[in-house]
Amino acid sequence: MRIIPFRRLHNRRPERRATCYRSAVYRPLRPWQVRERTFRSTPLGRRGLDPEQVREFLDLVAGDLATVYDALAESRRETERVKDALRRWQSEQARARAGREQER
């Protein structure tokens, strides 16, 4: 009997793959980063947050969301392609089986 050692896959870092517009060293925005993000106060005489800093952060969030939606759309297209190929294969197999049964 051969014993296979248990590998701890959850401790491994995910591989970083470069995308079409970002390098492999880019770290995507994580939910905890959004939750913990703070902004500087505006200069004296103004209330609220620094608008420029807020705009930069929102642009970063929007970019990451766009990337996620693009990947999701690509995944759905690939899923449909695979399903269509499987349906065609199943139809071909059913026709071939029916042809063999008629020959008997």
Side-chain angles (χ1 to χ4, degrees):
M1 181 174 171
R2 184 174 177 208
I3 299 174
I4 300 173
F6 176 73
R7 293 186 194 176
R8 293 184 181 249
L9 298 176
H10 63 275
N11 286 340
R12 293 186 184 181
R13 286 185 159 173
E15 292 181 16
R16 299 272 183 213
R17 291 184 287 163
T19 61
C20 60
Y21 67 99
R22 289 192 175 144
S23 71
V25 296
Y26 173 78
R27 306 258 184 217
L29 190 60
R30 302 287 184 209
W32 64 267
Q33 291 171 312
V34 174
R35 288 184 193 101
E36 293 179 1
R37 178 66 184 209
T38 58
F39 299 98
R40 289 188 309 266
S41 300
T42 56
L44 289 175
R46 292 176 51 198
R47 293 175 49 152
L49 303 172
D50 182 11
E52 184 61 32
Q53 196 178 26
V54 172
R55 265 192 298 281
E56 288 174 11
F57 183 73
L58 292 177
D59 286 343
L60 182 62
V61 171
D64 279 353
L65 286 175
T67 302
V68 168
Y69 288 131
D70 290 344
L72 181 60
E74 178 62 30
S75 174
R76 287 181 175 155
R77 284 191 295 271
E78 179 68 12
T79 299
E80 283 303 311
R81 188 189 67 75
V82 169
K83 284 181 179 180
D84 289 342
L86 179 59
R87 286 185 196 111
R88 282 192 307 274
W89 180 82
Q90 287 173 331
S91 296
E92 291 170 7
Q93 295 298 312
R95 281 192 294 271
R97 189 176 317 126
R100 285 191 303 265
E101 289 176 1
Q102 284 181 350
E103 291 176 359
R104 291 183 186 180

